[in-house]
């Protein structure tokens, strides 16, 4: 185990088992529908790749990149779109795929924003829910795991762009991100 990691939060095998269940549920719910999976870069990439392969119906995949709101805009929840969809979503079923919901500001903004573009439905699929940190209500339609308010890395989640490639999800040691002068 890497010295920056405190303990394993969700094992790779638990992730794979849950992702398979979520994929089956999504395939059943969207059978016969035009489904577009929208992955939010970069955290969702690994989850998106695994989830999509567990959905046994035809799906399209697209990606958006959004900026994290700065401190000053935390309360407003305004999120800037850095990379927009290439697909048009009018008349289609959209499922937003996220690695984690924390305050809920990002997903709240994305759902509202995509709903203005004329899709039939916009729903949300999230692997991890750090529910204690929620600031705005977000309806999560498909959820992997509830997690405590600790710094999670791995399976797409990063600390300063590192650890995304870990197969398990880990808790980062607090001294790593509270260290001064880095
Ligand atoms: C994470 C995550 C969500 C957002 C959730 O992205 O992927 O997009 O934060 O937080 P919220 O519920 O408080 O809005 P991050 O900004 O870390 O970017 P990344 O996916 O590129 O790592």
């Amino acid at each position: 185990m890497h010295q920056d990691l405190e303990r394993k939060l969700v094992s790779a095998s638990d992730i794979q088992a849950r992702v398979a269940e979520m994929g089956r549920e999504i395939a059943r719910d969207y059978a016969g529908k035009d489904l577009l999976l929208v992955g939010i870069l970069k955290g969702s990439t690994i989850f998106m790749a695994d989830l999509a392969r567990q959905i046994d119906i035809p799906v399209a995949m697209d990606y958006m990149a959004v900026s994290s709101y700065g401190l000053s805009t935390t309360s407003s929840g305004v999120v800037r779109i850095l990379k927009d969809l290439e697909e048009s979503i009018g008349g289609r079923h959209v499922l937003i795929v996220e690695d984690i919901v924390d305050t809920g500001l990002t997903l709240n903004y994305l759902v509202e924003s995509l709903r203005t573009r004329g899709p039939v439905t916009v729903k949300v699929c999230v692997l991890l829910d750090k529910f204690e940190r929620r600031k705005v209500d977000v309806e999560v339609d498909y959820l992997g795991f509830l997690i405590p308010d600790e710094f999670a890395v791995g399976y797409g989640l990063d600390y300063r762009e590192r650890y995304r490639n870990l197969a398990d999800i880990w808790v980062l040691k607090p001294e790593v991100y509270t260290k001064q002068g880095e």
Side-chain angles (χ1 to χ4, degrees):
M1 165 171 83
H2 190 284
Q3 58 174 7
D4 289 350
L5 307 175
E6 187 169 87
R7 68 174 199 284
K8 203 179 278 186
L9 195 59
V10 192
S11 72
S13 59
D14 285 353
I15 296 169
Q16 293 309 324
R18 185 73 193 113
V19 170
E21 284 175 0
M22 295 168 88
R24 282 195 290 274
E25 206 181 324
I26 291 165
R28 195 189 61 217
D29 294 351
Y30 288 93
K33 294 178 177 163
D34 180 8
L35 174 60
L36 176 67
L37 301 179
V38 173
I40 310 305
L41 299 170
K42 306 172 189 168
S44 74
T45 51
I46 291 175
F47 176 42
M48 176 88 155
D50 283 347
L51 180 72
R53 284 176 290 179
Q54 299 292 340
I55 301 175
D56 195 17
I57 57 169
V59 297
M61 296 163 73
D62 202 349
Y63 298 88
M64 289 178 81
V66 294
S67 69
S68 305
Y69 28 79
L71 278 179
S72 57
T73 53
T74 303
S75 53
S76 68
V78 171
V79 173
R80 200 156 52 96
I81 295 178
L82 303 177
K83 181 211 173 296
D84 209 336
L85 295 174
E86 291 170 15
E87 298 272 321
S88 130
I89 62 173
R92 306 178 73 181
H93 293 270
V94 172
L95 183 59
I96 300 173
V97 177
E98 263 285 31
D99 54 341
I100 188 164
V101 54
D102 188 338
T103 63
L105 291 170
T106 305
L107 269 174
N108 183 60
Y109 174 84
L110 282 169
V111 169
E112 295 302 317
S113 160
L114 293 181
R115 282 206 173 124
T116 65
R117 301 184 190 183
V120 185
T121 59
V122 178
K123 291 196 173 182
V124 169
C125 176
V126 176
L127 183 67
L128 304 174
D129 183 351
K130 211 187 255 189
F131 59 98
E132 293 163 275
R133 300 245 316 157
R134 197 74 89 257
K135 286 187 179 156
V136 290
D137 270 346
V138 175
E139 197 175 332
V140 175
D141 301 282
Y142 303 92
L143 172 66
F145 303 93
L146 293 170
I147 61 164
D149 183 13
E150 294 179 283
F151 203 122
V153 295
Y155 199 72
L157 290 104
D158 74 309
Y159 170 63
R160 293 186 172 184
E161 295 303 327
R162 293 174 61 202
Y163 311 111
R164 291 193 200 273
N165 60 316
L166 301 175
D168 308 282
I169 294 168
W170 296 81
V171 173
L172 194 65
K173 285 183 184 164
E175 59 260 38
V176 176
Y177 55 88
T178 51
K179 243 188 268 174
Q180 298 299 308
E182 267 198 81

